[in-house]
Amino acid sequence: MMRDEKTAAALEAARQATGRSRAGAVAMMEQALSYVARGYAVIPLHTTDGRRCSCPDGDRCTSPGKHPRNRAGVTEASSDPSQVREWWRRWPDAWVGIATGEASGV
């Protein structure tokens, strides 16, 4: 279920930009927002097709699907729903990473 109109609008924009199903976009953004609601700071991660990372290094990547899409990486982890929506609007297929340490209390 949608949390609010901003989330619905972000998901629809992401779906249109990527051609992915609305269900796929909803699943990732909603999962990220559910972690934020529990007090965790999250970051968008690259994805993989099993071999090739979505980063520019592609099949030469040494950590496929396990590193941040955002420039500042984990130091930019956020528990702000607006920031999370913006990231998943930009990268609707991003996997969800949870920052450990002080940012999330983990």
Side-chain angles (χ1 to χ4, degrees):
M1 203 163 208
M2 297 296 160
R3 293 201 188 295
D4 57 34
E5 290 181 22
K6 287 182 183 179
T7 300
L11 290 169
E12 183 58 23
R15 185 195 63 75
Q16 289 178 5
T18 64
R20 287 178 54 102
S21 73
R22 183 172 173 84
V26 167
M28 287 299 159
M29 185 183 288
E30 283 293 309
Q31 191 62 54
L33 289 169
S34 75
Y35 288 131
V36 165
R38 289 181 241 166
Y40 297 115
V42 301
I43 53 173
L45 300 177
H46 279 282
T47 56
T48 179
D49 64 4
R51 306 181 334 265
R52 182 170 173 57
C53 187
S54 62
C55 76
D57 290 340
D59 57 3
R60 294 181 320 274
C61 180
T62 60
S63 196
K66 298 177 183 174
H67 56 101
R69 286 184 180 246
N70 56 323
R71 287 185 188 208
V74 72
T75 61
E76 196 177 49
S78 181
S79 57
D80 176 6
S82 295
Q83 177 62 65
V84 171
R85 283 187 204 97
E86 175 58 32
W87 283 332
W88 268 268
R89 198 174 305 133
R90 184 172 180 188
W91 302 298
D93 63 335
W95 289 346
V96 181
I98 297 175
T100 58
E102 191 176 324
S104 295
V106 177

